[in-house]
Amino acid sequence: VQQRATSPFPALLTQLGVVSSSVQLLEYTPEWLGLNIEIKYPMDRKHEWRSFEPFYDINRYIDDILEQIFTHARDKQRIVFSAFSCDVIIALMAKQARYPVCFLTGEIAEEVSDFRCNSLAAAISFAESEHLLGVVSNSSSLFVDKDGKATQDVDEMVGPACLSRAKKKGLVLWTWGDMNSFAGNVELQRKWGVDAVICDNIQKLTRKEKKASVFEEEFSKKLGDYMDSVGLDLDQIVEKGESFYERASPVSEDNDQGG
């Protein structure tokens, strides 16, 4: 990896083995498989002072990441950036226009001082003002009532209202989080119109009795061909993943958990 004299960050990444793995990811991942690249960066915590924490300059940090991606990503590679830090979001939008950007929100709201991270409503407003692709929210934010309290009454959940607001502003709304581990919650979000669900154990959550759609069949064939080409056994990987999921989850897949 070529290192710029003006920036110490690539050298650090090389020492940690991050650059080589990210380069391999970009160069060997099939072009038809999209990537959601989350960029981590420290955020101001309530009742703490930033001056006590050794941060890398955000401009150099983002420049070095973008350099690696622009150098090694293929022309048809579908990439989306996402981040919890509003500063990172603004820097990404200012420095490049090739890949769309999403604002990550949820769970950390009570820990950080930035008001834009405090609620899904604030996140949607920020995403609109920065002309982002959309918001990636913790799904728990959708399964609460108007007072912010968790509820299992579907009619009281704010999910549909949040989706409506995002759509009116031309934004996509994706979700992530532990609640996406349960099929009932995923199905409810699908009915509401959530654009994408980030979750573990995809094989189990997408298993259906009915015939797979054309898209699912095409994706499965491409994934199977790719796994064969690199010598990996998809069935063994899925079996190990399901075994881990069943040991780790005390709740059966039929439990909707608020769905």
Side-chain angles (χ1 to χ4, degrees):
V1 177
Q2 184 178 3
Q3 299 175 11
R4 294 182 296 172
T6 57
S7 174
F9 196 71
L12 175 64
L13 287 179
T14 302
Q15 292 173 10
L16 296 176
V18 174
V19 168
S20 60
S21 60
S22 62
V23 168
Q24 291 173 350
L25 175 67
L26 293 168
E27 290 184 344
Y28 296 109
T29 299
E31 285 188 334
W32 49 264
L33 185 62
L35 299 175
N36 175 11
I37 299 179
E38 179 186 347
I39 298 181
K40 305 282 191 180
Y41 193 76
M43 300 172 64
D44 283 337
R45 302 286 173 173
K46 292 180 179 178
H47 313 300
E48 294 183 7
W49 294 97
R50 171 175 286 189
S51 58
F52 291 129
E53 299 186 24
F55 290 179
Y56 284 95
D57 176 77
I58 192 169
N59 285 300
R60 289 182 176 180
Y61 177 70
I62 298 299
D63 287 345
D64 291 330
I65 292 174
L66 292 177
E67 181 181 17
Q68 295 300 319
I69 293 174
F70 288 153
T71 300
H72 299 285
R74 273 78 58 82
D75 291 339
K76 295 182 180 180
Q77 190 81 58
R78 294 179 296 172
I79 293 175
V80 175
F81 289 123
S82 60
F84 283 103
S85 167
C86 294
D87 293 337
V88 168
I89 293 291
I90 293 172
L92 285 170
M93 292 298 293
K95 291 175 179 292
Q96 63 88 44
R98 181 173 179 179
Y99 301 113
V101 180
C102 285
F103 181 39
L104 273 164
T105 185
E107 273 196 354
I108 64 168
E110 297 180 358
E111 302 176 14
V112 299
S113 56
D114 194 327
F115 74 93
R116 293 169 293 188
C117 304
N118 289 343
S119 68
L120 179 53
I124 291 174
S125 295
F126 173 65
E128 180 191 23
S129 66
E130 294 299 324
H131 307 288
L132 306 183
L133 173 65
V135 174
V136 185
S137 171
N138 190 303
S139 56
S140 61
S141 299
L142 304 180
F143 297 109
V144 297
D145 60 24
K146 62 181 180 180
D147 296 320
K149 297 180 180 179
T151 178
Q152 294 195 15
D153 187 338
V154 176
D155 294 332
E156 293 185 359
M157 294 177 181
V158 300
C162 292
L163 263 297
S164 177
R165 182 177 181 185
K167 299 298 183 184
K168 287 180 179 178
K169 295 181 180 296
L171 303 170
V172 302
L173 181 60
W174 302 348
T175 66
W176 62 278
D178 292 341
M179 297 189 76
N180 287 354
S181 296
F182 304 100
N185 293 340
V186 173
E187 177 63 18
L188 184 57
Q189 292 177 71
R190 185 192 67 79
K191 291 179 179 179
W192 287 343
V194 169
D195 296 284
V197 172
I198 300 172
C199 58
D200 298 322
N201 205 39
I202 297 175
Q203 184 82 0
K204 197 168 192 176
L205 290 173
T206 57
R207 189 176 296 153
K208 300 177 181 178
E209 296 296 330
K210 63 182 181 180
K211 187 176 182 294
S213 67
V214 174
F215 173 79
E216 289 169 331
E217 289 179 339
E218 181 181 1
F219 179 83
S220 297
K221 183 179 184 304
K222 286 182 176 180
L223 183 58
D225 291 344
Y226 175 72
M227 299 292 277
D228 290 341
S229 70
V230 296
L232 296 177
D233 190 330
L234 180 59
D235 291 334
Q236 289 184 6
I237 293 174
V238 171
E239 183 178 349
K240 290 180 180 179
E242 289 184 351
S243 176
F244 172 81
Y245 175 80
E246 289 168 357
R247 292 197 306 271
S249 175
V251 184
S252 70
E253 70 170 320
D254 295 328
N255 190 330
D256 287 359
Q257 288 292 301

